[in-house]
Amino acid sequence: MNIFRFLGDISHLSAIIILLLKIWKSRSCAGISGKSQLLFAIVFTTRYLDLFTNFISFYNTSMKVVYVASSYATVWMIYSKFKATYDGNHDTFRVEFLIVPTAILSFLVNHDFTPLEILWTFSIYLESVAILPQLFMVSKTGEAETITSHYLFALGIYRTLYLFNWIWRYQFEEFFDLIAIVAGLVQTVLYCDFFYLYITKVLKGKKLSLPA
Amino acid sequence: EVLSEDHDEL
């Protein structure tokens, strides 16, 4: 464990908590893409199948349980508990265009052609594009609530910090996972536009509004 | 080189 990975995990955890609290407290999932949250639930499910068979550390296991539980809770709130506030008309990204290519790619490019490894690879590829429905929805509505932009910022920063974690691990641990690194780069690049808007607008107290 | 099989990152 290094500081970049730890800060990355904390940032990821806080993004998940921010979203849970936003929906629960405001009893509304307005402006939130249910499709992205569904994709994240798939990402965690396919990545943590070894949750019970492969103990790495208490930290690792407990974080995995929290990620899986909170992603399902978020999906449940959007599609069940507060579905009346779900803005389906603006959440129209075709997720099959994300799931099918990443699934095919995980069969073609992976470290080991075994079910668990292919599912892990699929989850890595899917995670790198899972935020697209959410970013697409923000661009369609032309704006995002400030709390939603904090959620997106924390979520974007987590994988950016992981990029530094991989540099660190390459330098000091001879650790190198090209699949995770390339997917992490794609994931971070997708946030660049949002990062720019967040830093130039939200941090100056303005509302995040995209040129529609 | 590539990490050990058990992916130790979240």
Side-chain angles (χ1 to χ4, degrees):
Chain A
M1 177 60 80
N2 61 66
I3 185 65
F4 298 112
R5 180 145 69 112
F6 181 68
L7 288 178
D9 290 342
I10 296 303
S11 176
H12 194 185
L13 182 66
S14 43
I16 290 172
I17 303 297
I18 288 171
L19 185 63
L20 265 176
L21 287 180
K22 174 246 182 294
I23 299 176
W24 186 256
K25 291 262 193 232
S26 69
R27 304 184 68 74
S28 163
C29 56
I32 301 300
S33 163
K35 294 187 171 186
S36 276
Q37 297 312 314
L38 263 177
L39 292 177
F40 286 126
I42 295 170
V43 165
F44 291 136
T45 307
T46 52
R47 187 173 304 180
Y48 300 154
L49 289 171
D50 63 350
L51 180 59
F52 304 109
T53 59
N54 184 10
F55 180 81
I56 289 172
S57 70
F58 175 74
Y59 169 82
N60 186 275
T61 300
S62 50
M63 287 292 269
K64 284 176 177 177
V65 169
V66 168
Y67 284 179
V68 171
S70 52
S71 68
Y72 279 89
T74 305
V75 167
W76 169 73
M77 285 198 290
I78 293 172
Y79 287 104
S80 171
K81 180 95 176 142
F82 303 121
K83 71 167 179 277
T85 64
Y86 171 54
D87 182 7
N89 300 323
H90 287 109
D91 192 10
T92 56
F93 196 95
R94 304 285 300 276
V95 291
E96 55 272 32
F97 292 159
L98 302 177
I99 294 178
V100 174
T102 47
I104 292 169
L105 191 62
S106 66
F107 273 92
L108 300 177
V109 181
N110 52 60
H111 291 314
D112 191 17
F113 202 77
T114 59
L116 263 183
E117 190 61 26
I118 286 174
L119 283 168
W120 177 86
T121 309
F122 167 66
S123 94
I124 291 287
Y125 293 150
L126 186 61
E127 185 192 6
S128 65
V129 293
I131 200 59
L132 281 175
Q134 180 65 66
L135 295 177
F136 181 74
M137 183 174 193
V138 170
S139 67
K140 266 194 97 170
T141 52
E143 61 169 15
E145 287 177 49
T146 301
I147 188 73
T148 306
S149 53
H150 293 321
Y151 158 73
L152 283 170
F153 182 72
L155 198 59
I157 284 298
Y158 126 73
R159 213 60 177 173
T160 309
L161 287 165
Y162 257 68
L163 294 177
F164 291 103
N165 152 63
W166 289 318
I167 295 169
W168 173 287
R169 295 190 75 181
Y170 180 69
Q171 198 67 35
F172 300 107
E173 298 171 29
E174 300 297 321
F175 169 98
F176 182 70
D177 181 350
L178 194 60
I179 285 177
I181 291 170
V182 172
L185 276 169
V186 167
Q187 188 166 335
T188 301
V189 163
L190 291 178
Y191 278 88
C192 286
D193 175 34
F194 167 77
F195 282 153
Y196 171 75
L197 288 168
Y198 183 82
I199 289 163
T200 57
K201 290 196 175 176
V202 178
L203 292 189
K204 292 197 171 97
K206 297 182 199 142
K207 192 174 176 65
L208 181 83
S209 59
L210 298 174
Chain B
E1 232 318 90
V2 164
L3 76 169
S4 58
E5 272 334 291
D6 61 333
H7 301 290
D8 65 345
E9 293 183 338
L10 288 174

